[in-house]
Amino acid sequence: MSLSGLLKGCGERERAFQEILRSFLPEPKQFYTASGHKAFSKEYQLRAPAAQALERRDVAFVGTAFTNLAEVMVARAVERGKRAVLSFPLAFKGLELATEKLGSAEVVKQQLKDFFTASVLKVERFVKGGESIEKILPACYYLSKLEQLSGLYQDVWPKNIPAYLKAREQRELVADLERLCGVFNHVFIQSGLAGGKSRAVFRPSLGRLSDELGGAGVSFYLDGTLYYMKTSQTYGYRWREIAQAVSGYLLYLLDCGQARPTHALGELRVERLAFYQARFGEIEYLDLSRLDSLAIETAAQNLKAFFTK
């Protein structure tokens, strides 16, 4: 079962998992924002309104596409870690699944593969300093469609896969992504939050157990902080979102305690968790040093016992 499944489920096992996290979750007052506004509050100002009347799949797609675009913008700004963001493993998985489902349609399969390669190359040029964010939107749009396919059960895939992948970008979704990117550029890039000397790791593994549970949803690590991208137009303290990030951190700590850690951060330290509220341009930080160390250790060991039963 995935981490999100454990957090949403109603069975005995899921409730036991949720109870471990509920007993440890930080309170809203323990978070602070980069802007100085009260975390999770009505003080936030809407800066990138969502496109109107979107279907549920479109809302999810915008979240996927924006995360990809945010990562390549950070990769462009930093000096190290650029290559890590350019492999697009989930998009490649979607491509493999799509071409497998197309069977003997070799010409169409090759077209999809060529478009994947061309899209990655265009993103690579952007990361190296060429192109503009507007120019690479179609490339990220296509890669994000493939990534979305990789996470769906194949019985709910579009009936005509090539038509879905090759269709022109929906104007309202592109406009939505442009607004989100404009705010992100101001908050992370122009401000210098992500700069040349920054240390960045994209979609980092937080360890074997976290990977087995489908990951903790972290978008990137930047200078001691694990960032989670949120594109909802609502705001507020949502315990499942907080629990997902906290449980990922606890699983990372358990992995650090292994003789052979498998997480992707190496010697880099995790000092904060952060939620980037993309439509408001707000970052909600949780400083891990402010949490009770004994409570952290107890929660981590409770999780370890839960998964070793």
Side-chain angles (χ1 to χ4, degrees), residues 178-192:
E178 288 177 339
R179 288 192 293 273
L180 290 168
C181 287
V183 176
F184 184 87
N185 183 61
H186 175 76
V187 173
F188 276 83
I189 311 304
Q190 292 180 352
S191 70

Side-chain angles (χ1 to χ4, degrees), residues 24-54:
F24 172 69
L25 282 191
E27 298 177 1
K29 65 182 180 181
Q30 292 177 276
F31 288 81
Y32 61 95
T33 66
S35 66
H37 292 145
K38 183 179 179 181
F40 312 111
S41 75
K42 293 182 180 180
E43 296 177 9
Y44 293 2
Q45 295 182 344
L46 185 61
R47 298 171 63 183
Q52 298 298 310
L54 294 182

Side-chain angles (χ1 to χ4, degrees), residues 84-132:
V85 77
L86 297 174
S87 58
F88 291 98
L90 294 178
F92 185 72
K93 177 184 176 183
L95 176 66
E96 287 186 316
L97 292 172
T99 53
E100 181 180 311
K101 198 166 181 116
L102 288 173
S104 60
E106 296 299 331
V107 173
V108 177
K109 288 161 66 173
Q110 190 58 51
Q111 289 175 342
L112 297 182
K113 291 177 182 178
D114 290 344
F115 199 9
F116 173 86
T117 300
S119 297
V120 171
L121 288 173
K122 183 164 284 192
V123 171
E124 184 174 0
R125 288 197 296 272
F126 171 83
V127 169
K128 290 181 177 179
E131 303 286 5
S132 65

